[in-house]
Amino acid sequence: MTVLTVQNDQFHFDDKPIRLISGAIHYFRVVPEYWYDRLLKLKACGFNTVETYIPWNFHEPTPGKFNFEGMADVEGFIRLAGELGLHVIVRPSPYICAEWEFGGLPAWLLADREIQLRCMNRPYLEKVDAYYDELLPRLKPLLSTNGGPIIAMQVENEYGSYGNDTAYLQYLEQAMISRGIDVLLFTSDGPENHMLQGGMVPNVLETANFGSRAEESFEMLRRYQPQGPLMCMEYWNGWFDHWGEEHHVRNGDEVAKVFEDMLSLGASVNFYMFHGGTNFGFTSGANGLERDHYEPTVTSYDYNAPLNEAGDPTEKYFAIRDIIAKYTDLPEMEVPKALPKQAYGTVLTASHAALFDQLHLLSEPVKSVTPEPMERYGQNNGFILYETFITGPREEKELIIQDCHDRALVFLNDEFKGIIERWDSSKKVHFEVPNGGASLRILVENMGRINYGPYLADRKGITEGVRHGNQFLYGWTVWTMPLDDLKPLDFAAIEKTTTNGPAFYRAELHIENAPADTFLKLKGWSKGVVYVNGFNIGRYWKAGPQQTLYIPAPFLRQGNNEIIVFDIDGTDSLELQFVDQPELG
């Protein structure tokens, strides 16, 4: 039986000392056709291990209905890594953070008011157990103790940053062991007192997460774990971006220096990230450390990592490789070349479909006394429309959405009145109601559930009611719009150069030869999502910093390709530009 063990201050594998040089690649952020390319580049850089999270919501999008196919084929990803001679570290915690929607927790948990997250709450643990009953038997044959590549698994993720229910951590530990997980178990936390106190499990290896000051961070870990191998489970060698901020870049020489500091201390290291990939669809999360603080994450998860979003080696890649070469022999293999990119030029959207004309094709209306969060209507992601009638006449007053999550467009008799955003209290909407009354429509966009911090239970839509002035408004019709199927849309030819209001726009991209990776630039467009041959490639927003959306070649086909843009704020352009280089800000 081959197993990773802890002997004094070292890891041993097959009874021989080993230093783990690992890199994070998330299978769920990379198309399966590119898994081999990314893993091969990891190995060529001198790494011996790959690490991945497993997001619960990616595999159980609705209660009791599981998906382990396509991009969700975690078993296939792990087997492929093993075939390339790589060890695998798996982090299947119910919660993963990872700048991923709701930190990997399923949104449907929020529909049950009895569920309390990440603690010894019985309704929550029952859902975790049901998930583990499906997931862990799939991983068991892939453990190193059964001849597979998995050498270690995580119990929970950065739990000390959230809570101190150590009984909950021990419950998860036993949940894994009782289902046959017999490889090394570990936890990971930031190197701070409260984090280590809250996140450690007796007799389970603790690892540290940080991006600098390696010696200081490991000294803190040693206060709580005097013996055992040192490991940085998340070496933050880059960073992620929020909408409306600058793109994060970290100097490659600085990254290499901190990495060498860790190696000189005898530590093992897992690069977070080695290759970030993409938050396709509605999978990006958000940060919110205070009640009125909300920062949604962009679609690109480039992370300024050694491999960029499209999988190309960067200068940082080669700086890291040079450091590894000082401590171990590099594999006798060439670094694989970057995959081809293509600028397909500009295409024009030829037809469109206004959202309000398409409601009955996209959704079934639900009558509701008060506007409830989207989870209460069985919706996870996308947009939700609330509609009511206000009697008139009424003098001008402010429309107040109590706890708007996250961004609302307000229409009175289908005339746009303004935008309300949860993070910007200065944006207010006022209107008077004419004689005879008016129809009020509020389109709310879910921009990603919070994935880290004390406000994790981030329900979406309207969560506490709507007032015009001080009067609450009752009697609503609700349209849920996850937008996972656009086939019912009825498109008509565009008759003017620009249009206002939420609408779908359709174009065709013709490709003569075998498709190559490309990037969609949406200059002149405002905010929304894009579908390529029916697949949601993610959100865009003129607020930046990201200005292009990555389209991997496997999403495209030779011949005609359907592109649908759902723009919610109105567009000044009907052109779509396909370029061969990303613009991340």
Side-chain angles (χ1 to χ4, degrees):
M1 183 171 70
T2 308
V3 62
L4 181 72
T5 60
V6 169
Q7 298 184 25
N8 297 320
D9 292 339
Q10 280 190 316
F11 288 119
H12 279 68
F13 187 72
D14 200 15
D15 290 327
K16 297 177 182 177
I18 185 175
R19 187 206 300 266
L20 301 179
I21 301 178
S22 175
I25 301 176
H26 296 158
Y27 62 95
F28 47 91
R29 283 178 160 133
V30 183
V31 292
E33 293 87 345
Y34 286 171
W35 289 346
Y36 180 84
D37 173 78
R38 304 325 193 234
L39 290 168
L40 196 64
K41 287 169 179 168
L42 177 82
K43 183 174 181 178
C45 196
F47 287 62
N48 58 19
T49 305
V50 63
E51 175 268 318
T52 185
Y53 280 124
I54 297 179
W56 181 1
N57 55 12
F58 201 61
H59 296 288
E60 194 180 3
T62 56
K65 295 183 179 179
F66 296 93
N67 176 30
F68 288 92
E69 298 179 352
M71 288 183 69
D73 183 12
V74 60
E75 298 154 274
F77 178 81
I78 293 170
R79 282 194 296 267
L80 183 58
E83 290 167 7
L84 287 171
L86 293 166
H87 303 302
V88 179
I89 295 172
V90 174
R91 302 167 79 184
S93 317
Y95 163 84
I96 65 170
C97 185
E99 291 70 60
W100 186 258
E101 154 71 18
F102 200 15
L105 295 167
W108 45 261
L109 291 173
L110 297 174
D112 186 347
R113 301 284 186 179
E114 297 300 314
I115 286 180
Q116 298 177 41
L117 305 174
R118 302 180 72 190
C119 66
M120 285 295 288
N121 169 259
R122 177 46 55 186
Y124 170 70
L125 295 177
E126 287 173 354
K127 301 299 183 183
V128 174
D129 282 332
Y131 169 54
Y132 275 6
D133 284 341
E134 179 68 29
L135 173 68
L136 296 184
R138 293 176 177 271
L139 300 181
K140 184 177 177 181
L142 301 170
L143 303 178
S144 65
T145 49
N146 294 319
I150 299 176
I151 59 172
M153 290 176 63
Q154 181 172 266
V155 173
E156 233 271 9
N157 185 60
E158 295 184 323
Y159 184 72
S161 300
Y162 179 81
N164 67 349
D165 190 348
T166 53
Y168 162 66
L169 298 181
Q170 291 174 303
Y171 183 94
L172 293 182
E173 177 197 12
Q174 291 305 312
M176 298 173 76
I177 292 171
S178 66
R179 290 168 176 84
I181 304 303
D182 56 0
V183 295
L184 180 74
L185 299 180
F186 67 92
T187 53
S188 62
D189 287 281
E192 297 187 32
N193 285 308
H194 72 284
M195 296 178 181
L196 293 167
Q197 292 165 17
M200 294 182 68
V201 180
N203 303 314
V204 172
L205 180 71
E206 173 73 309
T207 61
N209 299 342
F210 55 85
S212 60
R213 302 194 300 273
E215 187 171 5
E216 177 184 328
S217 297
F218 283 138
E219 283 179 358
M220 175 63 79
L221 179 60
R222 276 285 181 244
R223 295 181 194 176
Y224 290 87
Q225 186 170 267
Q227 193 171 53
L230 295 173
M231 181 161 189
C232 178
M233 186 53 66
E234 291 187 16
Y235 172 33
W236 304 320
N237 63 99
W239 206 246
F240 54 92
D241 294 338
H242 293 130
W243 291 112
E245 297 180 352
E246 293 186 1
H247 175 53
H248 288 87
V249 175
R250 186 175 180 188
N251 179 273
D253 291 337
E254 177 194 353
V255 167
K257 173 65 170 62
V258 176
F259 177 42
E260 187 164 19
D261 288 345
M262 286 189 272
L263 296 184
S264 68
L265 293 169
S268 292
V269 183
N270 177 54
F271 276 72
Y272 190 96
M273 299 289 299
F274 180 80
H275 170 53
T278 308
N279 297 314
F280 294 116
F282 297 122
T283 60
S284 56
N287 275 24
L289 295 178
E290 299 174 4
R291 183 167 294 279
D292 297 325
H293 175 245
Y294 179 77
E295 298 175 312
T297 302
V298 304
T299 297
S300 171
Y301 203 62
D302 177 88
Y303 209 86
N304 193 228
L307 293 185
N308 67 17
E309 183 179 10
D312 302 339
T314 64
E315 290 183 6
K316 190 177 290 185
Y317 177 99
F318 292 102
I320 292 165
R321 192 170 186 264
D322 289 344
I323 297 300
I324 293 175
K326 293 181 180 181
Y327 288 81
T328 188
D329 293 331
L330 295 174
E332 296 181 2
M333 58 185 295
E334 298 265 334
V335 175
K337 295 180 180 179
L339 297 175
K341 314 291 185 298
Q342 185 68 48
Y344 290 111
T346 300
V347 300
L348 208 61
T349 54
S351 58
H352 85 305
L355 172 64
F356 295 157
D357 296 337
Q358 307 289 315
L359 289 177
H360 284 90
L361 300 177
L362 292 171
S363 178
E364 291 289 335
V366 177
K367 296 297 182 181
S368 189
V369 175
T370 60
E372 298 272 4
M374 63 170 55
E375 296 85 1
R376 301 286 285 181
Y377 302 107
Q379 181 182 358
N380 292 340
N381 302 304
F383 298 77
I384 187 166
L385 182 71
Y386 301 90
E387 184 179 89
T388 192
F389 185 82
I390 308 180
T391 57
R394 298 186 183 207
E395 61 273 23
E396 181 176 312
K397 292 185 182 295
E398 182 182 356
L399 182 77
I400 299 171
I401 302 176
Q402 295 197 180
D403 213 21
C404 172
H405 286 198
D406 300 306
R407 187 174 187 265
L409 278 66
V410 179
F411 300 85
L412 195 70
N413 284 338
D414 289 351
E415 179 185 346
F416 177 65
K417 291 297 182 181
I419 296 172
I420 295 172
E421 296 171 338
R422 67 184 286 187
W423 60 89
D424 186 354
S425 60
S426 68
K427 289 190 175 180
K428 300 180 184 296
V429 174
H430 297 78
F431 57 78
E432 62 182 27
V433 181
N435 191 27
S439 171
L440 173 66
R441 282 174 164 165
I442 304 174
L443 177 65
V444 183
E445 179 185 4
N446 168 3
M447 292 184 62
R449 288 181 182 81
I450 290 172
N451 55 256
Y452 178 84
Y455 297 101
L456 200 59
D458 186 18
R459 293 176 177 85
K460 294 301 183 181
I462 297 175
T463 65
E464 293 185 11
V466 176
R467 292 184 280 125
H468 188 236
N470 287 329
Q471 186 185 71
F472 278 102
L473 303 179
Y474 294 97
W476 294 82
T477 300
V478 181
W479 307 81
T480 59
M481 293 183 292
L483 299 186
D484 47 14
D485 182 10
L486 302 186
K487 294 186 185 70
L489 290 173
D490 184 14
F491 286 91
I494 297 175
E495 297 178 355
K496 56 183 180 178
T497 55
T498 62
T499 59
N500 296 318
F504 301 87
Y505 300 81
R506 187 180 182 276
E508 281 194 353
L509 171 65
H510 186 79
I511 298 177
E512 290 289 342
N513 302 309
D517 288 0
T518 191
F519 302 87
L520 174 59
K521 187 172 182 179
L522 293 130
K523 185 177 181 180
W525 297 79
S526 63
K527 190 178 195 305
V529 292
V530 178
Y531 295 77
V532 175
N533 292 324
F535 187 90
N536 185 343
I537 63 169
R539 302 176 172 100
Y540 67 91
W541 193 7
K542 65 181 180 182
Q546 181 177 356
Q547 298 297 322
T548 56
L549 292 176
Y550 172 53
I551 306 177
F555 289 163
L556 301 167
R557 53 180 175 244
Q558 191 171 355
N560 290 332
N561 295 267
E562 181 187 61
I563 314 296
I564 295 179
V565 180
F566 178 47
D567 193 282
I568 60 174
D569 287 2
T571 175
D572 295 327
S573 172
L574 298 177
E575 293 184 346
L576 303 176
Q577 301 175 52
F578 295 88
V579 298
D580 59 3
Q581 294 293 326
E583 294 183 26
L584 298 180

